[in-house]
Amino acid sequence: MAGNSFGQLFRITTFGESHGEAIGVIIDGCPSQLPVDLEYIQAELDKRKPGQSKITTQRKESDTVRILSGVFEGKTTGTPIMMLIPNEDQRSKDYSHNTDVFRPSHADYTYQTKYGIRDHRGGGRSSARETAARVAAGALAKLLLKSQGIEIVAHVSSVGKINAPNVEIKSAQEFIDDREKNIVRCADPATAEEMINFIDSVRKDGDTVGGKVSCHILNCPVGLGEPVFDKLHADLGKAMLSINAVHGFEFGSGFQGSEMRGSEHNDIFIKSDSGDIRTITNYSGGIQGGISNGMPIEFKVAFKPVATIMQNQATVDSEGNAAEISGKGRHDPCVVPRAVPIVEAMAALVLADHWLRNRNTILPQ
């Protein structure tokens, strides 16, 4: 199976299955002498772990991470870093009815056809459980970026047709604090309450709903990204579209920009009070010609409704015969609140990789 690695200089390879003994990640290319805050890494994983509230899946996993290599006396050594996260609450019996039938909109059919074998217990390698490994690696990437003053923050900006207004970011930590005050992780309190009530009603119907995560990268220097195939927004798009259930990515003005005229859309350059060149507007989303321009990098990621619903659905079995399937066990009515740290993690992995392409591989002393 190909496609288990991501990045060039800051490169990760994830391993493990949803219902195996553990999942994990190997990080190669992290600079030496980076202080490793294990409490911070664990806190990032805690934001993604299941069982957090009534509007997420009730699978119980502590997602306790262990670092098995690449760190000595609290600092990275420059060698490959291995992180391991044991699985604790698999409940494989919840998937026994899926052995010979294909769940609608899951990877069951494509996986079985491609490989000739599949782990029906939660989807195996195609399960969103794999993203915990990404969050662990992304937390380390965020620590690297923080050492350079680069911050990444995201929140749930829409659920279904409920959209939050644009929220001003005065500081990264203040934005995160506001977001974490509610279980849906929306930085606008009034919208958050509406979202929570809606998701709960969807849950009671045995159904699911999608939404969007808005992400902001602050204090990004000018010059990250390449002008042809390795454009910064292209790598961000690939990173986001690799996340389970993601069906859309847009940066800056996104699709709305196609409805504007050039005279409206152009970001006019000015010289700021600090002497830096900035733009009055940010329709470019902080990236021009595939290269960061020093403005905040802004993008949105759209998540589809979770495919597993607690309702009967028509399907076929592995022989193509008509069958019926119903959801069983734990129900996740909306993945978007738990997707926030995943979006931040994947953005961090992209930024760390591009930052290393423009810096030495050892942090400044």
Side-chain angles (χ1 to χ4, degrees), residues 102-108 304-308 313:
F102 299 133
R103 296 170 296 171
S105 285
H106 282 79
D108 296 347
K304 72 180 181 71
V306 180
T308 299
Q313 297 181 89

Side-chain angles (χ1 to χ4, degrees), residues 79-99:
T79 60
I81 299 166
M82 180 180 180
M83 295 182 177
L84 190 72
I85 304 169
N87 289 328
E88 300 166 344
D89 186 25
Q90 295 97 325
R91 295 195 196 177
S92 299
K93 64 180 184 297
D94 286 351
Y95 299 91
S96 58
H97 63 302
N98 293 340
T99 304

Side-chain angles (χ1 to χ4, degrees), residues 31-322:
S32 64
Q33 303 180 61
L34 174 70
V36 177
D37 186 343
L38 188 56
E39 290 185 1
Y40 174 79
I41 295 173
Q42 187 60 59
E44 291 298 289
L45 280 163
D46 289 347
K47 295 172 185 174
R48 194 223 70 97
K49 71 180 182 181
Q52 296 181 35
S53 70
K54 64 181 180 179
I55 62 171
T56 64
T57 177
Q58 294 307 297
R59 178 170 176 168
K60 298 295 183 182
E61 296 284 355
S62 67
D63 280 356
T64 302
V65 64
R66 295 172 56 201
I67 299 179
L68 303 184
S69 67
V71 176
F72 179 67
E73 294 184 341
K75 292 184 178 180
T76 57
T77 63
T79 60
I81 299 166
M82 180 180 180
M83 295 182 177
L84 190 72
I85 304 169
N87 289 328
E88 300 166 344
D89 186 25
Q90 295 97 325
R91 295 195 196 177
S92 299
K93 64 180 184 297
D94 286 351
Y95 299 91
S96 58
H97 63 302
N98 293 340
T99 304
D100 296 315
V101 295
F102 299 133
R103 296 170 296 171
S105 285
H106 282 79
D108 296 347
Y109 169 70
T110 51
Y111 202 116
Q112 179 73 39
T113 303
K114 180 177 177 65
Y115 298 106
I117 186 173
R118 67 182 174 93
D119 185 346
H120 66 274
R121 304 167 303 168
R125 191 79 181 119
S126 63
S127 169
R129 178 86 185 124
E130 179 268 343
T131 60
R134 306 187 193 196
V135 172
L140 191 68
K142 288 173 79 172
L143 289 173
L144 174 61
L145 295 172
K146 282 175 180 287
S147 73
Q148 304 304 309
I150 303 171
E151 299 275 5
I152 300 175
V153 295
H155 83 129
V156 175
S157 55
S158 76
V159 170
K161 296 181 180 181
I162 303 171
N163 295 289
N166 291 330
V167 180
E168 181 183 1
I169 304 177
K170 297 178 181 178
S171 76
Q173 192 56 54
E174 183 178 335
F175 182 86
I176 293 171
D177 290 343
D178 288 342
R179 176 195 77 191
E180 293 299 316
K181 289 177 181 177
N182 59 78
I183 59 177
V184 79
R185 291 202 169 93
C186 175
D188 182 70
T191 311
E193 190 64 28
E194 187 179 358
M195 289 175 174
I196 293 167
N197 292 334
F198 178 58
I199 295 172
D200 197 35
S201 68
V202 169
R203 178 185 64 83
K204 292 175 181 177
D205 289 340
D207 216 333
T208 60
V209 66
K212 300 185 187 74
V213 172
S214 293
C215 188
H216 308 265
I217 303 172
L218 311 175
N219 308 319
C220 181
V222 180
L224 300 191
E226 309 297 337
V228 188
F229 294 115
D230 292 340
K231 289 179 170 65
L232 185 57
H233 61 278
D235 283 351
L236 284 169
K238 179 179 180 179
M240 299 306 145
L241 290 166
S242 75
I243 300 171
N244 305 63
V246 169
H247 269 213
F249 170 81
E250 60 178 12
F251 75 102
S253 61
F255 288 102
Q256 289 186 340
S258 66
E259 302 173 1
M260 301 170 66
R261 297 190 178 193
S263 55
E264 299 173 291
H265 194 269
N266 286 346
D267 293 317
I268 305 301
F269 289 107
I270 60 170
K271 191 172 185 178
S272 68
D273 295 338
S274 62
D276 297 329
I277 293 178
R278 291 289 184 262
T279 59
I280 298 175
T281 53
N282 193 24
Y283 294 121
S284 299
I287 303 172
Q288 293 171 325
I291 301 170
S292 61
N293 66 2
M295 293 293 287
I297 296 173
E298 300 174 341
F299 60 87
K300 292 181 179 179
V301 186
F303 289 79
K304 72 180 181 71
V306 180
T308 299
I309 61 176
M310 298 293 113
Q311 299 177 10
N312 293 337
Q313 297 181 89
T315 186
V316 297
D317 62 21
S318 56
E319 300 297 325
N321 300 311

